Amino acid sequence: MFRTALRNVLAHKARLLMTVLAVMLGVAFVSGTLVFTNTISNAFQNSSAKGFDQVDVAVRAKSQDDKGDTVGKTPELTQAMLDTSAKVPGAASATGVVNGFTAIADKKGKLIGGGFQSEGGNYWGSKDARYPLKSGTAPHGSGEVAIDSETAERAGYKVGDTVRISVDGPVLSPRITGIFTTDDGNVAAGGSLALFDTATAQKLFGKAGTYDEIDVKAAAGTSQAALKSALDQALPKGQTETTTAKKLADDQAETIASSMSGLKSGLLVFAGIALFVGTFIIANTFTMLVAQRTKELALLRAVGASRRQVTRSVLLEAFVVGAVAAVAGLVAGIGIGAGLRALMGTIGATVPDGPLIITSGTVLSALAVGILITMLAAWLPGRRAAKIPPVAAMSSVHATATTKSLVLRNTLGALFSGAGVAVVIAATSMNGSDGQAPMGIGAVLLIIGVFILTPLLSRPLIAAAAPALRIFGISGKLARQNSVRNPRRTAATASALMIGLTLITGMTVMAGSLQQAIDKMASSAISADYIVSMANGNQLSPDVDKTLTTTSGITASSPLRNAPSRIDGTTEFLTGVNGSAIGKLTDLKVDSGTFKVAGSQVVVDDDTAKSHGWKAGSTFTTHYEDGKAQQLTVSAVYEGNALISGIMLDNATLSPHQTDPADMQILVKTADGASSSTKDKLEKALGSNPAVKVQDKKDLSNSIAQVFTLILNMVYGLLAMAVIVAVLGVINTLAMSVFERSQEIGMLRAIGLDRKGIKRMVRLESLVISLFGGVLGIGLGVFFGWAAGELIGAKMSTYELVIPWARMALFLLLAGTVGVLAALWPARRAAKLNMLSAIKSE
């Protein structure tokens, strides 16, 4: 039986090629994902570990008390603490570290880096071991700066050039005195790093005479633990916390691994989809191969082979096919991993240098996935073949599906589908995150149910295409009959395409609906013409608001200023606003009371009011960050949203309790309204600052929706793998179907159907099957898009279902194109059959 199985594999090389390709693509996706994520994770971990070469113990200000309370003034690391740290037993040196957001403009005035990765800091002394100089000298004074070599190369800067830089206020134009190298992870990821001398950095970042961190280097023979213990004893209790460099490196490695796990999981989900789609192809292939060898298997049974031996022979064939596909997929996956890493460089996401990581886990996963998936998919056809009575098989009387088996299949399909629909609909009534897991379970049940019912659904849906097929005469009629001749095979072929289109359509429905919801939210909640903010989402200097209020053409403006407080024993963030102008800049729906922000009168969003049991007229006591308390009165409860929510009070009331007031955003209304000329005027008033964004409502909604658009485009690209696998499935099914019908095709040619007619028949058959899968996929996708939208709508009042008719028509056209392209080779093969040889074939 072993030799027989191997002989069968070698005898059907061409027919098994498509199966090998389908499995190989799925395995390549899995192994490529593992290689890629392991490689960049290792590169970032090695890079971050190098960043701790010049520190053995880091001293930081203690930001929380033992209860986790963050309200109150955070202790500062003073010069005295730095001097003490440098003198503790076992310390070789101590370095004061200052850092903050620093935007560097390129020669065209545009921001370098991704905003969040634009950092600044201090260069310690004239030779900082953390940042080896590649050229030039250390910066001294407010008119000098050093920048990293990656940024200098990207922007074309060299020593002696003047560069435009902004921290959180006016634009500076210092001269570049030095270019340094660094292992900083942000720079490696495509960001930028600007360094000033310590005094300048402290002044720019609002930390005069203080530090963000003190890095202490141990003397020879002193362990990190011993140095940490000495520092803990020497420094003021309750104001500082110390951490060894080993702990910092381990935490950083854990953070990197955690962030990579999300990417890895997401990519593996799509790899699983491709493998799931490939399972249909494998099952189809082995079903047809077994059907073509019915007499051979019957003969084996007649000469003494048991049912188990027949099943095992089919599984052995699957093992060989799976092993070949897994090895090929692993090799291809290593190439994909290397390619993805190179691709990150071309899109600006730089990855630190490091070797390509191929772990034993990656190799074993690839082999296990390829072999197990193939053998599982081949098990049912093998078991079915073993059940055919030898006498019936020898007479070519194949065991057709009985009424009992059809009733059982349709009943199971109806139960699964009904349960799936019920669970999904029940999940839509749940609260956001609570409904995600039930909805996922319901979606899986419904897809399984529809797959089981697909043979039943194929007849009426394909029959609906009969009027269109009549246009093609006898070729169209034959194509329709061939499509429903073997409903199970048609169902398995169409289901492969259905799954890909279900996910694509569902994501498209959600993205379109979210885009409209965000547009509505921006237009309904904000009546301001512009929103001014920092490029990295950090706080704006109060000077920005002062500049705007003195700019001509501005009729109203209000900064949004965040501050922590304690209310009823819990931390709540207050939002300071210009009380006299906020009503003109927002258009919030008031549920109760009168919208008034002045003195001790505040307005509260509905969720916050509900959590505290407040209503219009309620009073409560807040404890500000300076420790002082005040009683406030709720003048109105408004309907909050993702853009504006929380407790709003007048800045005149809030600011006296803040040590370092800063604004998150500034709302601006102008006399001329939103226009490109007005926007240019505002940008120039702010000094064409690369760190500051000026956005109108459309810009704001587009920047939020850009995230969903990026995700959607990534999903399209990843699901393309599943569609390619589905195309292979259609080709495989048609090619083997043509082989099965060789005699029939020969007879059709003999009675007058020309080669063009044969080609047309096969193409139309493929088109009908693909469109059938497309219709099912788009229908399911719209249903899932609606259901997911119901969960989103619970937290976003402006959310409404948007059906993307144009995109859906495009997806249906894509399904039809897949069918036509997939039929090219099988149709050509069918037309080239010699009619006499075909008639004589068995």
Side-chain angles (χ1 to χ4, degrees):
M1 294 301 293
F2 178 76
R3 289 196 300 271
T4 301
L6 290 179
R7 187 201 66 193
N8 285 326
V9 172
L10 297 173
H12 302 106
K13 292 187 291 290
R15 300 180 212 171
L16 291 170
L17 177 61
M18 296 297 178
T19 302
V20 170
L21 285 173
V23 180
M24 185 193 78
L25 283 173
V27 172
F29 209 158
V30 171
S31 53
T33 295
L34 296 175
V35 169
F36 170 64
T37 52
N38 288 338
T39 295
I40 60 175
S41 179
N42 180 74
F44 277 117
Q45 285 178 16
N46 289 342
S47 176
S48 66
K50 288 179 184 177
F52 298 114
D53 286 347
Q54 300 303 318
V55 54
D56 286 303
V57 178
V59 180
R60 293 170 179 166
K62 196 169 186 180
S63 58
Q64 293 183 337
D65 59 21
D66 295 334
K67 297 179 181 178
D69 189 354
T70 59
V71 177
K73 192 175 187 303
T74 301
E76 295 177 332
L77 298 180
T78 63
Q79 183 65 39
M81 291 180 183
L82 174 63
D83 295 339
T84 300
S85 299
K87 295 175 182 177
V88 298
S93 63
T95 302
V97 178
V98 184
N99 52 49
F101 172 71
T102 303
I104 304 177
D106 61 19
K107 292 185 176 180
K108 295 180 180 179
K110 301 298 181 183
L111 176 67
I112 297 174
F116 288 99
Q117 290 81 35
S118 301
E119 296 293 331
N122 66 314
Y123 192 93
W124 190 254
S126 58
K127 192 173 183 181
D128 194 328
R130 299 171 300 167
Y131 307 110
L133 286 169
K134 189 175 180 181
S135 60
T137 58
H140 294 285
S142 58
E144 297 184 355
V145 69
I147 65 173
D148 67 273
S149 57
E150 296 282 346
T151 298
E153 186 177 344
R154 284 200 302 269
Y157 284 127
K158 59 184 185 296
V159 172
D161 288 347
T162 299
V163 60
R164 288 169 58 81
I165 286 178
S166 174
V167 177
D168 64 354
V171 177
L172 308 173
S173 299
R175 183 175 64 87
I176 299 173
T177 62
I179 294 174
F180 58 88
T181 59
T182 177
D183 293 314
D184 188 285
N186 285 330
V187 173
S192 61
L193 180 61
L195 299 178
F196 310 91
D197 68 17
T198 299
T200 302
Q202 288 175 324
K203 181 180 178 182
L204 288 174
F205 301 132
K207 298 160 186 172
T210 64
Y211 303 93
D212 292 294
E213 183 174 302
I214 297 173
D215 290 344
V216 186
K217 186 76 175 169
T222 303
S223 68
Q224 291 184 356
L227 179 59
K228 179 181 184 302
S229 178
L231 287 165
D232 286 338
Q233 301 230 347
L235 294 170
K237 304 294 182 187
Q239 296 184 41
T240 60
E241 53 188 4
T242 58
T243 312
T244 63
K246 183 179 185 308
K247 179 71 164 57
L248 290 172
D250 291 344
D251 290 346
Q252 185 77 5
E254 187 177 336
T255 301
I256 292 170
S258 177
S259 63
M260 292 308 303
S261 69
L263 174 63
K264 183 186 293 187
S265 298
L267 291 174
L268 286 176
V269 165
F270 291 100
I273 292 167
L275 284 167
F276 186 56
V277 172
T279 303
F280 294 122
I281 300 171
I282 301 164
N284 244 3
T285 302
F286 277 94
T287 298
M288 288 185 280
L289 284 173
V290 168
Q292 291 167 14
R293 288 174 17 226
T294 304
K295 282 189 177 182
E296 176 188 324
L297 294 175
L299 182 60
L300 288 173
R301 290 288 313 283
V303 297
S306 66
R307 286 184 177 183
R308 285 186 180 180
Q309 285 180 307
V310 170
T311 303
R312 282 202 297 265
S313 70
V314 175
L315 290 177
L316 183 58
E317 290 180 50
F319 174 82
V320 174
V321 171
V324 171
V327 172
L330 175 61
V331 173
I334 294 170
I336 289 173
L340 284 173
R341 176 177 169 169
L343 180 64
M344 291 196 58
T346 63
I347 62 176
T350 311
V351 178
D353 291 334
L356 202 64
I357 304 299
I358 305 165
T359 65
S360 57
T362 300
V363 176
L364 291 175
S365 296
L367 293 175
V369 165
I371 294 170
L372 286 176
I373 290 290
T374 309
M375 292 184 71
L376 284 173
W379 175 76
L380 190 58
R383 186 170 173 271
R384 192 181 297 137
K387 281 186 171 184
I388 300 175
V391 175
M394 292 289 284
S395 305
S396 294
V397 181
H398 297 182
T400 57
T402 63
T403 303
K404 181 180 177 181
S405 69
L406 291 174
V407 169
L408 179 62
R409 180 184 180 112
N410 294 336
T411 302
L412 279 175
L415 289 173
F416 270 99
S417 300
V421 170
V423 173
V424 168
I425 291 176
T428 60
S429 62
M430 296 180 183
N431 179 34
S433 57
D434 293 338
Q436 291 177 5
M439 185 167 290
I441 294 169
V444 171
L445 289 173
L446 180 54
I447 288 176
I448 292 173
V450 171
F451 169 64
I452 296 172
L453 286 175
T454 306
L456 180 67
L457 297 172
S458 64
R459 290 187 179 276
L461 288 178
I462 291 176
L469 292 174
R470 286 197 192 102
I471 300 171
F472 301 96
I474 191 66
S475 295
K477 183 178 180 180
L478 290 170
R480 184 182 64 80
Q481 291 174 346
N482 289 335
S483 300
V484 296
R485 177 185 294 183
N486 192 331
R488 286 184 175 178
R489 185 185 302 169
T490 297
T493 306
S495 295
L497 195 58
M498 175 191 79
I499 292 170
L501 286 178
T502 295
L503 294 167
I504 290 173
T505 305
M507 290 295 296
T508 303
V509 169
M510 286 176 58
S513 301
L514 278 169
Q515 174 69 69
Q516 180 171 290
I518 293 165
D519 289 343
K520 280 187 177 180
M521 187 188 299
S523 60
S524 63
I526 299 174
S527 54
D529 296 317
Y530 292 99
I531 301 94
V532 179
S533 62
M534 289 290 282
N536 69 331
N538 277 1
Q539 296 177 331
L540 284 160
S541 166
D543 294 338
V544 177
D545 181 50
K546 292 176 183 177
T547 301
L548 289 172
T549 54
T550 58
T551 303
S552 63
I554 292 180
T555 58
S557 70
S558 173
L560 303 182
R561 185 169 295 170
N562 279 7
S565 71
R566 296 288 287 182
I567 300 172
D568 296 337
T570 61
T571 301
E572 287 281 2
F573 278 86
L574 306 173
T575 302
V577 298
N578 182 346
S580 61
I582 192 65
K584 304 172 188 175
L585 298 165
T586 59
D587 189 16
L588 299 168
K589 182 182 177 183
V590 177
D591 293 338
S592 62
T594 303
F595 195 94
K596 185 178 181 181
V597 182
S600 63
Q601 291 185 304
V602 302
V603 294
V604 183
D605 73 286
D606 47 2
D607 287 340
T608 304
K610 184 179 179 181
S611 66
H612 288 280
W614 298 336
K615 57 185 179 181
S618 297
T619 60
F620 62 92
T621 301
T622 184
H623 296 266
Y624 296 108
E625 59 182 305
D626 64 354
K628 294 182 180 179
Q630 183 179 5
Q631 190 176 69
L632 302 175
T633 303
V634 178
S635 65
V637 176
Y638 67 91
E639 192 175 290
N641 56 58
L643 297 178
I644 298 180
S645 62
I647 304 169
M648 285 194 279
L649 74 162
D650 197 355
N651 273 326
T653 303
L654 175 64
S655 297
H657 300 286
Q658 290 185 285
T659 306
D660 186 19
D663 306 325
M664 294 303 296
Q665 293 177 327
I666 301 173
L667 303 181
V668 179
K669 197 167 185 65
T670 62
D672 299 328
S675 66
S676 57
S677 59
T678 305
K679 184 176 181 179
D680 289 341
K681 181 181 177 181
L682 292 177
E683 288 177 342
K684 286 179 181 176
L686 296 172
S688 299
N689 196 323
V692 179
K693 290 191 298 186
V694 179
Q695 298 175 295
D696 59 22
K697 286 184 280 189
K698 188 64 180 174
D699 293 333
L700 180 64
S701 63
N702 286 343
S703 65
I704 298 171
Q706 186 177 10
V707 177
F708 301 110
T709 304
L710 177 63
I711 293 172
L712 185 64
N713 290 335
M714 287 178 62
V715 169
Y716 283 162
L718 293 168
L719 288 177
M721 181 72 75
V723 174
I724 291 171
V725 175
V727 171
L728 291 174
V730 177
I731 295 172
N732 207 17
T733 300
L734 288 173
M736 301 190 78
S737 179
V738 165
F739 177 83
E740 281 184 356
R741 302 202 312 259
S742 295
Q743 191 176 58
E744 175 189 317
I745 292 170
M747 289 295 293
L748 289 171
R749 293 273 285 112
I751 61 176
L753 190 63
D754 59 12
R755 289 186 174 181
K756 285 185 178 180
I758 295 292
K759 283 184 179 180
R760 191 180 300 119
M761 176 187 74
V762 177
R763 287 172 185 162
L764 289 173
E765 181 182 345
S766 176
L767 179 63
V768 167
I769 292 172
S770 298
L771 288 176
F772 169 54
V775 168
L776 286 179
I778 291 171
L780 283 172
V782 171
F783 176 71
F784 290 139
W786 163 82
E790 290 296 299
L791 285 181
I792 297 171
K795 293 187 175 181
M796 189 180 287
S797 59
T798 55
Y799 186 91
E800 289 181 8
L801 180 67
V802 175
I803 304 295
W805 297 107
R807 288 282 183 97
M808 285 163 54
L810 184 64
F811 295 155
L812 199 59
L813 179 63
L814 171 67
T817 304
V818 164
V820 172
L821 293 176
L824 290 178
W825 178 62
R828 185 167 175 269
R829 183 182 177 191
K832 291 179 71 175
L833 285 174
N834 182 290
M835 70 177 75
L836 294 178
S837 300
I839 290 170
K840 289 190 294 180
S841 67
E842 294 186 5

